[in-house]
mmCIF file of all heavy atoms in Angstrom:
data_model
loop_
_atom_site.group_PDB
_atom_site.id
_atom_site.type_symbol
_atom_site.label_atom_id
_atom_site.label_comp_id
_atom_site.label_asym_id
_atom_site.label_seq_id
_atom_site.Cartn_x
_atom_site.Cartn_y
_atom_site.Cartn_z
ATOM 1 N N ARG A 629 89.190 71.340 100.236
ATOM 2 C CA ARG A 629 90.618 71.450 100.411
ATOM 3 C C ARG A 629 91.362 70.683 99.419
ATOM 4 O O ARG A 629 92.361 71.068 98.859
ATOM 5 C CB ARG A 629 91.080 71.046 101.826
ATOM 6 C CG ARG A 629 90.735 71.959 103.053
ATOM 7 C CD ARG A 629 91.177 73.400 102.753
ATOM 8 N NE ARG A 629 92.539 73.593 102.382
ATOM 9 C CZ ARG A 629 93.075 74.701 101.916
ATOM 10 N NH1 ARG A 629 92.272 75.710 101.792
ATOM 11 N NH2 ARG A 629 94.301 74.805 101.631
ATOM 12 N N GLU A 630 90.870 69.398 99.178
ATOM 13 C CA GLU A 630 91.629 68.586 98.266
ATOM 14 C C GLU A 630 91.581 69.181 96.875
ATOM 15 O O GLU A 630 92.603 69.104 96.135
ATOM 16 C CB GLU A 630 90.891 67.204 98.283
ATOM 17 C CG GLU A 630 91.775 66.080 97.841
ATOM 18 C CD GLU A 630 90.892 64.730 97.927
ATOM 19 O OE1 GLU A 630 90.097 64.601 98.865
ATOM 20 O OE2 GLU A 630 91.032 63.992 96.887
ATOM 21 N N GLN A 631 90.477 69.656 96.459
ATOM 22 C CA GLN A 631 90.327 70.117 95.138
ATOM 23 C C GLN A 631 91.173 71.442 94.945
ATOM 24 O O GLN A 631 91.783 71.684 93.971
ATOM 25 C CB GLN A 631 88.818 70.567 94.882
ATOM 26 C CG GLN A 631 87.954 69.307 94.662
ATOM 27 C CD GLN A 631 86.531 69.649 94.789
ATOM 28 O OE1 GLN A 631 86.069 70.569 95.569
ATOM 29 N NE2 GLN A 631 85.675 68.939 93.955
ATOM 30 N N ILE A 632 91.207 72.296 96.049
ATOM 31 C CA ILE A 632 92.012 73.452 95.984
ATOM 32 C C ILE A 632 93.473 73.111 95.801
ATOM 33 O O ILE A 632 94.139 73.621 94.926
ATOM 34 C CB ILE A 632 91.893 74.329 97.303
ATOM 35 C CG1 ILE A 632 90.460 74.982 97.352
ATOM 36 C CG2 ILE A 632 93.016 75.293 97.371
ATOM 37 C CD1 ILE A 632 90.214 75.746 98.651
ATOM 38 N N GLU A 633 93.885 72.080 96.529
ATOM 39 C CA GLU A 633 95.339 71.705 96.443
ATOM 40 C C GLU A 633 95.687 71.051 95.080
ATOM 41 O O GLU A 633 96.749 71.291 94.472
ATOM 42 C CB GLU A 633 95.782 70.835 97.657
ATOM 43 C CG GLU A 633 95.843 71.705 98.917
ATOM 44 C CD GLU A 633 96.032 70.996 100.146
ATOM 45 O OE1 GLU A 633 96.476 69.878 100.123
ATOM 46 O OE2 GLU A 633 95.851 71.636 101.188
ATOM 47 N N GLU A 634 94.792 70.360 94.606
ATOM 48 C CA GLU A 634 94.928 69.757 93.198
ATOM 49 C C GLU A 634 95.164 70.888 92.168
ATOM 50 O O GLU A 634 96.045 70.829 91.361
ATOM 51 C CB GLU A 634 93.751 69.005 92.814
ATOM 52 C CG GLU A 634 93.860 67.456 92.761
ATOM 53 C CD GLU A 634 92.530 66.749 92.556
ATOM 54 O OE1 GLU A 634 91.824 67.143 91.754
ATOM 55 O OE2 GLU A 634 92.292 65.877 93.351
ATOM 56 N N LEU A 635 94.287 71.839 92.209
ATOM 57 C CA LEU A 635 94.286 72.934 91.338
ATOM 58 C C LEU A 635 95.671 73.754 91.518
ATOM 59 O O LEU A 635 96.275 74.207 90.526
ATOM 60 C CB LEU A 635 93.079 73.891 91.547
ATOM 61 C CG LEU A 635 92.999 75.076 90.671
ATOM 62 C CD1 LEU A 635 92.649 74.604 89.159
ATOM 63 C CD2 LEU A 635 91.836 76.021 91.132
ATOM 64 N N GLN A 636 96.033 73.901 92.706
ATOM 65 C CA GLN A 636 97.208 74.681 93.030
ATOM 66 C C GLN A 636 98.445 73.966 92.497
ATOM 67 O O GLN A 636 99.299 74.705 91.893
ATOM 68 C CB GLN A 636 97.423 74.920 94.540
ATOM 69 C CG GLN A 636 96.506 75.891 95.105
ATOM 70 C CD GLN A 636 96.776 76.206 96.556
ATOM 71 O OE1 GLN A 636 97.028 75.240 97.340
ATOM 72 N NE2 GLN A 636 96.707 77.427 96.958
ATOM 73 N N ILE A 637 98.573 72.689 92.590
ATOM 74 C CA ILE A 637 99.818 72.048 92.066
ATOM 75 C C ILE A 637 99.912 72.144 90.551
ATOM 76 O O ILE A 637 100.928 72.404 90.001
ATOM 77 C CB ILE A 637 99.941 70.583 92.649
ATOM 78 C CG1 ILE A 637 101.291 70.095 92.221
ATOM 79 C CG2 ILE A 637 98.908 69.649 92.273
ATOM 80 C CD1 ILE A 637 102.503 70.662 92.879
ATOM 81 N N GLU A 638 98.694 71.938 89.954
ATOM 82 C CA GLU A 638 98.702 72.051 88.489
ATOM 83 C C GLU A 638 99.054 73.508 88.026
ATOM 84 O O GLU A 638 99.841 73.607 87.170
ATOM 85 C CB GLU A 638 97.239 71.727 88.073
ATOM 86 C CG GLU A 638 97.011 71.795 86.551
ATOM 87 C CD GLU A 638 95.420 71.740 86.305
ATOM 88 O OE1 GLU A 638 94.732 71.119 86.992
ATOM 89 O OE2 GLU A 638 95.036 72.570 85.412
ATOM 90 N N ARG A 639 98.468 74.542 88.711
ATOM 91 C CA ARG A 639 98.813 75.898 88.341
ATOM 92 C C ARG A 639 100.213 76.235 88.675
ATOM 93 O O ARG A 639 100.882 77.099 87.980
ATOM 94 C CB ARG A 639 97.802 76.816 88.935
ATOM 95 C CG ARG A 639 96.485 76.675 88.432
ATOM 96 C CD ARG A 639 95.521 77.786 88.865
ATOM 97 N NE ARG A 639 94.184 77.765 88.088
ATOM 98 C CZ ARG A 639 93.278 78.662 88.249
ATOM 99 N NH1 ARG A 639 93.366 79.694 88.990
ATOM 100 N NH2 ARG A 639 92.180 78.590 87.392
ATOM 101 N N LEU A 640 100.688 75.692 89.736
ATOM 102 C CA LEU A 640 102.140 76.007 90.197
ATOM 103 C C LEU A 640 103.073 75.567 89.134
ATOM 104 O O LEU A 640 103.932 76.250 88.726
ATOM 105 C CB LEU A 640 102.438 75.382 91.557
ATOM 106 C CG LEU A 640 103.852 75.529 91.996
ATOM 107 C CD1 LEU A 640 104.139 77.025 92.198
ATOM 108 C CD2 LEU A 640 104.102 74.735 93.327
ATOM 109 N N LYS A 641 102.844 74.262 88.658
ATOM 110 C CA LYS A 641 103.746 73.659 87.707
ATOM 111 C C LYS A 641 103.728 74.597 86.406
ATOM 112 O O LYS A 641 104.776 74.914 85.807
ATOM 113 C CB LYS A 641 103.306 72.232 87.302
ATOM 114 C CG LYS A 641 103.714 71.274 88.342
ATOM 115 C CD LYS A 641 103.190 69.894 87.954
ATOM 116 C CE LYS A 641 103.486 68.902 89.038
ATOM 117 N NZ LYS A 641 102.826 67.636 88.796
ATOM 118 N N ASN A 642 102.483 75.009 85.958
ATOM 119 C CA ASN A 642 102.481 75.891 84.781
ATOM 120 C C ASN A 642 103.148 77.202 85.072
ATOM 121 O O ASN A 642 103.903 77.739 84.208
ATOM 122 C CB ASN A 642 100.989 76.203 84.490
ATOM 123 C CG ASN A 642 100.314 74.951 83.899
ATOM 124 O OD1 ASN A 642 100.967 74.045 83.535
ATOM 125 N ND2 ASN A 642 98.960 74.953 83.969
ATOM 126 N N THR A 643 102.992 77.741 86.314
ATOM 127 C CA THR A 643 103.551 79.057 86.647
ATOM 128 C C THR A 643 105.105 78.913 86.536
ATOM 129 O O THR A 643 105.799 79.829 86.047
ATOM 130 C CB THR A 643 103.191 79.431 88.063
ATOM 131 O OG1 THR A 643 101.689 79.644 88.000
ATOM 132 C CG2 THR A 643 103.799 80.789 88.411
ATOM 133 N N ILE A 644 105.625 77.825 87.031
ATOM 134 C CA ILE A 644 107.088 77.672 87.079
ATOM 135 C C ILE A 644 107.618 77.658 85.579
ATOM 136 O O ILE A 644 108.545 78.317 85.287
ATOM 137 C CB ILE A 644 107.529 76.441 87.838
ATOM 138 C CG1 ILE A 644 107.236 76.717 89.310
ATOM 139 C CG2 ILE A 644 109.044 76.084 87.672
ATOM 140 C CD1 ILE A 644 107.421 75.535 90.267
ATOM 141 N N GLN A 645 107.011 76.847 84.766
ATOM 142 C CA GLN A 645 107.410 76.735 83.342
ATOM 143 C C GLN A 645 107.397 78.185 82.800
ATOM 144 O O GLN A 645 108.296 78.570 82.025
ATOM 145 C CB GLN A 645 106.511 75.849 82.543
ATOM 146 C CG GLN A 645 106.480 74.389 82.904
ATOM 147 C CD GLN A 645 107.787 73.797 82.397
ATOM 148 O OE1 GLN A 645 108.598 74.334 81.677
ATOM 149 N NE2 GLN A 645 108.045 72.545 82.720
ATOM 150 N N HIS A 646 106.324 78.921 83.076
ATOM 151 C CA HIS A 646 106.173 80.205 82.455
ATOM 152 C C HIS A 646 107.070 81.247 83.052
ATOM 153 O O HIS A 646 107.689 82.048 82.325
ATOM 154 C CB HIS A 646 104.736 80.657 82.824
ATOM 155 C CG HIS A 646 104.400 81.908 82.152
ATOM 156 N ND1 HIS A 646 104.391 82.118 80.723
ATOM 157 C CD2 HIS A 646 104.068 83.140 82.705
ATOM 158 C CE1 HIS A 646 104.081 83.373 80.455
ATOM 159 N NE2 HIS A 646 103.818 83.955 81.679
ATOM 160 N N CYS A 647 107.443 81.205 84.365
ATOM 161 C CA CYS A 647 108.436 82.066 84.955
ATOM 162 C C CYS A 647 109.837 81.969 84.304
ATOM 163 O O CYS A 647 110.488 82.977 84.273
ATOM 164 C CB CYS A 647 108.723 81.670 86.409
ATOM 165 S SG CYS A 647 107.610 82.245 87.576
ATOM 166 N N LEU A 648 110.116 80.850 83.811
ATOM 167 C CA LEU A 648 111.470 80.699 83.145
ATOM 168 C C LEU A 648 111.651 81.477 81.894
ATOM 169 O O LEU A 648 112.730 81.554 81.396
ATOM 170 C CB LEU A 648 111.785 79.196 82.993
ATOM 171 C CG LEU A 648 111.813 78.388 84.327
ATOM 172 C CD1 LEU A 648 112.032 76.911 84.161
ATOM 173 C CD2 LEU A 648 112.928 79.016 85.280
ATOM 174 N N HIS A 649 110.579 82.150 81.540
ATOM 175 C CA HIS A 649 110.711 83.054 80.267
ATOM 176 C C HIS A 649 111.326 84.391 80.819
ATOM 177 O O HIS A 649 111.643 85.164 79.956
ATOM 178 C CB HIS A 649 109.352 83.330 79.670
ATOM 179 C CG HIS A 649 108.780 82.162 79.006
ATOM 180 N ND1 HIS A 649 107.496 81.691 79.261
ATOM 181 C CD2 HIS A 649 109.343 81.277 78.038
ATOM 182 C CE1 HIS A 649 107.363 80.486 78.494
ATOM 183 N NE2 HIS A 649 108.402 80.352 77.715
ATOM 184 N N SER A 650 111.340 84.580 82.070
ATOM 185 C CA SER A 650 111.919 85.856 82.602
ATOM 186 C C SER A 650 113.389 85.726 82.793
ATOM 187 O O SER A 650 113.795 84.627 83.359
ATOM 188 C CB SER A 650 111.155 86.268 83.893
ATOM 189 O OG SER A 650 111.688 85.724 84.990
ATOM 190 N N ALA A 651 114.152 86.728 82.556
ATOM 191 C CA ALA A 651 115.626 86.687 82.701
ATOM 192 C C ALA A 651 115.905 86.393 84.243
ATOM 193 O O ALA A 651 116.813 85.539 84.511
ATOM 194 C CB ALA A 651 116.232 87.978 82.264
ATOM 195 N N PHE A 652 115.140 87.014 85.077
ATOM 196 C CA PHE A 652 115.349 86.887 86.462
ATOM 197 C C PHE A 652 115.242 85.467 86.962
ATOM 198 O O PHE A 652 116.097 84.867 87.565
ATOM 199 C CB PHE A 652 114.375 87.770 87.237
ATOM 200 C CG PHE A 652 114.380 87.649 88.759
ATOM 201 C CD1 PHE A 652 115.451 88.122 89.492
ATOM 202 C CD2 PHE A 652 113.429 86.886 89.413
ATOM 203 C CE1 PHE A 652 115.514 87.923 90.910
ATOM 204 C CE2 PHE A 652 113.392 86.662 90.739
ATOM 205 C CZ PHE A 652 114.494 87.157 91.404
ATOM 206 N N TYR A 653 114.097 84.834 86.728
ATOM 207 C CA TYR A 653 113.874 83.459 87.222
ATOM 208 C C TYR A 653 114.712 82.425 86.452
ATOM 209 O O TYR A 653 115.067 81.444 87.156
ATOM 210 C CB TYR A 653 112.333 83.128 87.120
ATOM 211 C CG TYR A 653 111.565 83.688 88.310
ATOM 212 C CD1 TYR A 653 110.571 84.635 88.118
ATOM 213 C CD2 TYR A 653 111.877 83.285 89.650
ATOM 214 C CE1 TYR A 653 109.925 85.175 89.207
ATOM 215 C CE2 TYR A 653 111.138 83.878 90.821
ATOM 216 C CZ TYR A 653 110.319 84.792 90.559
ATOM 217 O OH TYR A 653 109.528 85.441 91.584
ATOM 218 N N LYS A 654 115.044 82.715 85.293
ATOM 219 C CA LYS A 654 115.949 81.708 84.593
ATOM 220 C C LYS A 654 117.234 81.631 85.390
ATOM 221 O O LYS A 654 117.682 80.565 85.719
ATOM 222 C CB LYS A 654 116.173 82.282 83.207
ATOM 223 C CG LYS A 654 116.515 81.182 82.198
ATOM 224 C CD LYS A 654 116.967 81.780 80.933
ATOM 225 C CE LYS A 654 115.920 81.605 79.799
ATOM 226 N NZ LYS A 654 116.198 82.260 78.577
ATOM 227 N N GLN A 655 117.670 82.823 85.720
ATOM 228 C CA GLN A 655 118.965 82.943 86.525
ATOM 229 C C GLN A 655 118.822 82.323 87.879
ATOM 230 O O GLN A 655 119.666 81.584 88.352
ATOM 231 C CB GLN A 655 119.348 84.425 86.583
ATOM 232 C CG GLN A 655 120.612 84.732 87.339
ATOM 233 C CD GLN A 655 121.852 84.245 86.573
ATOM 234 O OE1 GLN A 655 121.811 83.912 85.350
ATOM 235 N NE2 GLN A 655 123.098 84.169 87.263
ATOM 236 N N ARG A 656 117.709 82.666 88.497
ATOM 237 C CA ARG A 656 117.406 82.120 89.896
ATOM 238 C C ARG A 656 117.408 80.582 89.917
ATOM 239 O O ARG A 656 118.038 79.975 90.827
ATOM 240 C CB ARG A 656 116.070 82.570 90.397
ATOM 241 C CG ARG A 656 115.989 83.770 91.273
ATOM 242 C CD ARG A 656 116.616 83.485 92.604
ATOM 243 N NE ARG A 656 117.326 84.650 93.175
ATOM 244 C CZ ARG A 656 116.638 85.581 93.909
ATOM 245 N NH1 ARG A 656 115.462 85.343 94.221
ATOM 246 N NH2 ARG A 656 117.335 86.661 94.337
ATOM 247 N N PHE A 657 116.780 80.041 88.979
ATOM 248 C CA PHE A 657 116.662 78.522 89.042
ATOM 249 C C PHE A 657 118.019 77.942 88.711
ATOM 250 O O PHE A 657 118.433 76.931 89.192
ATOM 251 C CB PHE A 657 115.641 78.071 87.941
ATOM 252 C CG PHE A 657 114.313 77.923 88.575
ATOM 253 C CD1 PHE A 657 113.602 79.023 89.039
ATOM 254 C CD2 PHE A 657 113.641 76.634 88.551
ATOM 255 C CE1 PHE A 657 112.300 78.846 89.627
ATOM 256 C CE2 PHE A 657 112.411 76.468 89.137
ATOM 257 C CZ PHE A 657 111.755 77.628 89.759
ATOM 258 N N LYS A 658 118.860 78.662 87.818
ATOM 259 C CA LYS A 658 120.081 78.132 87.419
ATOM 260 C C LYS A 658 121.013 78.189 88.670
ATOM 261 O O LYS A 658 121.672 77.218 89.011
ATOM 262 C CB LYS A 658 120.698 79.048 86.304
ATOM 263 C CG LYS A 658 121.855 78.364 85.673
ATOM 264 C CD LYS A 658 122.184 79.191 84.346
ATOM 265 C CE LYS A 658 123.653 79.020 84.103
ATOM 266 N NZ LYS A 658 124.191 80.225 83.333
#
Side-chain angles (χ1 to χ4, degrees):
R629 288 305 312 165
E630 202 181 320
Q631 291 166 323
I632 288 176
E633 288 175 15
E634 253 171 47
L635 183 66
Q636 284 187 319
I637 186 67
E638 180 196 320
R639 289 191 170 184
L640 175 64
K641 286 180 182 167
N642 291 340
T643 297
I644 291 170
Q645 291 288 355
H646 185 60
C647 276
L648 296 176
H649 293 123
S650 83
F652 171 77
Y653 279 116
K654 205 188 253 174
Q655 179 68 14
R656 260 294 147 88
F657 269 63
K658 200 169 145 205

